[in-house]
């Protein structure tokens, strides 16, 4: 897709997209400047940036979060922090499935009712 299509899909202005590319938040386009084309990776990178910006993170903090190898820490409450892989932020994923699986794993962790196969693997 061309730059104007990317702008329409993401809701970011062409100027914002160029800024995000120059700052390394979004990968460079394929084909060089004259024949530049953009794909799903560019859409995901812009959405990830927009999501983090919408959560109130300044650009410097977003850079640190995206550079984090272990993931993005999200404090849930005192003593509980959820760590999310940076590439999942902004991606169009099945959020209901992720929430359901996360809830089930948290219940297991707090109640000690992990399935037997998991208990054996850990033990």
């Amino acid at each position: 897709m061309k730059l104007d299509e990317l702008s329409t899909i993401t809701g970011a202005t062409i100027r914002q997209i160029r800024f995000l590319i120059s700052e390394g938040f979004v990968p460079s386009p394929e084909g060089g400047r004259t024949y530049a084309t953009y794909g799903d990776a560019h859409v995901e990178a812009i959405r990830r940036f927009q999501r983090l910006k919408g959560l109130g993170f300044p650009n410097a903090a977003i850079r640190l979060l995206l550079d984090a190898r272990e993931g993005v820490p999200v404090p849930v409450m005192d003593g509980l922090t959820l760590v999310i892989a940076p590439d999942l932020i902004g991606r169009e994923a099945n959020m209901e499935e992720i929430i359901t699986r996360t809830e089930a794993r948290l219940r297991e962790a707090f109640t000690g009712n992990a399935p037997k196969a998991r208990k054996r693997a850990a033990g």
Side-chain angles (χ1 to χ4, degrees), residues 21-32:
I21 292 169
S22 71
E23 292 295 312
F25 293 113
V26 174
S28 295
E30 298 293 321

Side-chain angles (χ1 to χ4, degrees), residues 33-92:
R33 187 174 179 126
T34 306
Y35 300 102
T37 59
Y38 304 85
D40 292 339
H42 297 93
V43 173
E44 288 180 13
I46 291 168
R47 288 188 176 149
R48 182 173 32 252
F49 181 86
Q50 290 170 331
R51 177 73 178 125
L52 290 168
K53 199 69 167 171
L55 291 171
F57 289 101
N59 291 357
I62 293 172
R63 185 176 316 284
L64 289 172
L65 291 172
L66 295 179
D67 288 343
R69 300 286 185 244
E70 294 80 31
V72 178
V74 178
V76 177
M77 59 182 282
D78 286 344
L80 181 62
T81 301
L82 181 64
V83 178
I84 302 173
D87 60 324
L88 289 178
I89 298 172
R91 180 183 292 176
E92 290 184 29

Side-chain angles (χ1 to χ4, degrees), residues 6-24:
L6 181 63
S7 175
T8 300
I9 289 171
T10 61
T13 66
I14 291 173
R15 185 176 180 175
Q16 289 170 330
I17 294 170
R18 287 188 174 138
F19 169 78
L20 294 174
I21 292 169
S22 71
E23 292 295 312

